[in-house]
């Protein structure tokens, strides 16, 4: 991957970079000026080399190259004989100047190249990390939808396999839907339309229990509760063993009351 903005590795603003570069150069000048009585006439540019390299490492090559020019002037004017003048240069002065500028510029360019390479590697790693997260999210979504589809098909298979045993069912917060088996168990010859009609065909005590179970939240999907339910058949009462199955179907509770196996 080719990083087009590799020049953007500097983390400082332009104003901060200028102030930081000035501080480094000024510190190098002050330190060399204080040591002038001890080390003159040796190493007139060494402290400036260190400052320029720090500027290149922190703020980039542009300010570092400008710092090289400023350092060459300061070193030649203050720390190369004759001091405080820019008189005719001797051969040794030229050699010192060329040695300082060439070595410092080469080091600055190498630092810039390394910084751009490091920045490019960091960007590539961030891109790879973000792509890895995206792939994980997609895989999690795929697993979630696959699991949801499997659960949906499992519920449909459960309903369709024993459809004739279903007495009634309730999906979400909707009304209770009666199946033909309910009509058969209550010996009803007429279709039941209202809620009061079908509830009147179940013993009041058992009706309260059934409504309570239908209103309870689902603690565990595919949960099965079996209990006895008394149905009114004209003047008689018939007791049947029933089972209430609870599912989470497409994000909503589905409760199915079916005739339990004897």
């Amino acid at each position: 991957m080719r990083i087009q903005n590799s020049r953007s590795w500097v983390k400082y603003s332009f104003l901060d970079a200028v102030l930081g570069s000035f501080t480094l150069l000024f510190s190098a000048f002050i330190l060399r000026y204080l040591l002038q009585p001890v080390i003159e006439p040796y190493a007139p540019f060494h402290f400036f080399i260190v400052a320029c390299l720090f500027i290149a490492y922190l703020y980039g090559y542009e300010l570092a190259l400008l710092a090289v020019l400023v350092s060459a002037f300061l070193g030649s004017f203050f720390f190369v004989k004759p001091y405080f003048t820019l008189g005719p240069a001797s051969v040794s002065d030229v050699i010192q100047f060329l040695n300082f500028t060439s070595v410092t510029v080469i080091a600055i360019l190498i630092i810039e190249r390394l910084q751009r390479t490091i920045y490019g590697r960091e960007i590539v790693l961030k891109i790879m990390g973000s792509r890895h997260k995206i792939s994980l999210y997609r895989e999690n979504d795929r697993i979630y939808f696959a699991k949801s589809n499997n659960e949906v098909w499992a519920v449909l298979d459960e309903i369709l396999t024993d459809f004739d045993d279903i007495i009634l069912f309730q999906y979400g917060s909707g009304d209770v839907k009666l199946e033909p088996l309910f009509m058969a168990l209550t010996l009803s010859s007429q279709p039941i339309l209202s809620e009061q009609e079908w509830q009147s065909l179940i013993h009041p005590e058992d009706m309260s229990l059934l409504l309570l179970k239908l209103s309870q939240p689902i603690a565990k999907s595919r949960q099965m509760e079996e209990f006895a339910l008394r149905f009114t058949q004209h003047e008689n009462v018939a007791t049947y063993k029933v089972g209430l199955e609870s599912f989470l179907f497409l994000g909503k509770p589905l409760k199915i009351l079916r005739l339990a196996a004897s």
Side-chain angles (χ1 to χ4, degrees):
M1 179 180 296
R2 183 176 178 84
I3 305 300
Q4 300 294 337
N5 59 342
S6 59
R7 294 182 59 183
S8 304
W9 62 266
V10 178
K11 301 178 181 178
Y12 301 92
S13 65
F14 179 74
L15 180 60
D16 291 338
V18 171
L19 292 177
S21 301
F22 175 80
T23 302
L24 288 170
L25 270 184
F26 184 73
S27 300
F29 173 77
I30 292 298
L31 185 59
R32 181 62 181 80
Y33 189 81
L34 294 175
L35 293 176
Q36 173 69 2
V38 179
I39 63 175
E40 66 168 333
Y42 304 105
F45 297 105
H46 285 191
F47 291 94
F48 294 108
I49 292 176
V50 175
C52 291
L53 294 184
F54 268 107
I55 293 172
Y57 177 78
L58 295 174
Y59 309 119
Y61 77 99
E62 294 175 341
L63 290 176
L65 293 179
L66 180 61
V68 171
L69 297 178
V70 176
S71 300
F73 171 77
L74 293 177
S76 300
F77 186 81
F78 288 97
F79 309 120
V80 176
K81 291 182 178 180
Y83 303 127
F84 307 109
T85 182
L86 293 175
S90 63
V91 175
S92 61
D93 295 340
V94 174
I95 293 176
Q96 279 187 328
F97 176 79
L98 292 178
N99 178 65
F100 162 68
T101 55
S102 60
V103 171
T104 308
V105 169
I106 291 174
I108 288 172
L109 295 179
I110 292 175
I111 290 174
E112 179 69 19
R113 178 65 178 176
L114 292 176
Q115 290 286 48
R116 293 189 181 191
T117 301
I118 293 173
Y119 178 77
R121 296 295 183 270
E122 292 177 350
I123 294 297
V124 170
L125 289 176
K126 290 180 180 179
I127 294 174
M128 292 175 62
S130 63
R131 288 179 177 176
H132 179 63
K133 288 183 179 180
I134 292 173
S135 65
L136 289 179
Y137 292 151
R138 289 179 176 175
E139 181 65 16
N140 290 338
D141 291 340
R142 186 192 65 80
I143 294 174
Y144 171 77
F145 287 117
K147 183 179 179 181
S148 299
N149 290 334
N150 290 337
E151 291 178 352
V152 169
W153 282 110
V155 173
L156 291 177
D157 181 68
E158 181 73 17
I159 295 174
L160 297 176
T161 301
D162 301 316
F163 185 76
D164 294 337
D165 294 338
I166 297 178
I167 301 173
L168 56 84
F169 67 89
Q170 184 184 41
Y171 181 54
S173 58
D175 296 333
V176 172
K177 308 299 181 182
L178 303 176
E179 294 300 315
L181 182 57
F182 182 88
M183 314 295 292
L185 295 178
T186 57
L187 301 180
S188 300
S189 57
Q190 300 294 329
I192 299 174
L193 301 178
S194 67
E195 182 177 326
Q196 289 77 15
E197 287 180 323
W198 73 265
Q199 291 186 7
S200 64
L201 298 177
I202 300 177
H203 194 278
E205 295 180 1
D206 296 349
M207 190 67 240
S208 300
L209 177 62
L210 177 61
L211 292 177
L212 177 62
K213 291 183 178 298
L214 289 175
S215 63
Q216 288 179 342
I218 297 178
K220 182 180 180 182
S221 188
R222 305 201 70 171
Q223 181 179 355
M224 180 73 165
E225 294 183 75
E226 293 188 353
F227 54 95
L229 194 63
R230 288 171 287 181
F231 293 87
T232 301
Q233 298 177 341
H234 301 306
E235 301 297 331
N236 300 322
V237 174
T239 303
Y240 295 94
K241 186 177 181 181
V242 298
L244 182 63
E245 291 182 284
S246 301
F247 302 92
L248 282 175
F249 185 70
L250 298 178
K252 294 182 180 181
L254 172 63
K255 298 190 177 183
I256 301 174
L257 183 70
R258 64 171 69 250
L259 194 63
S262 302

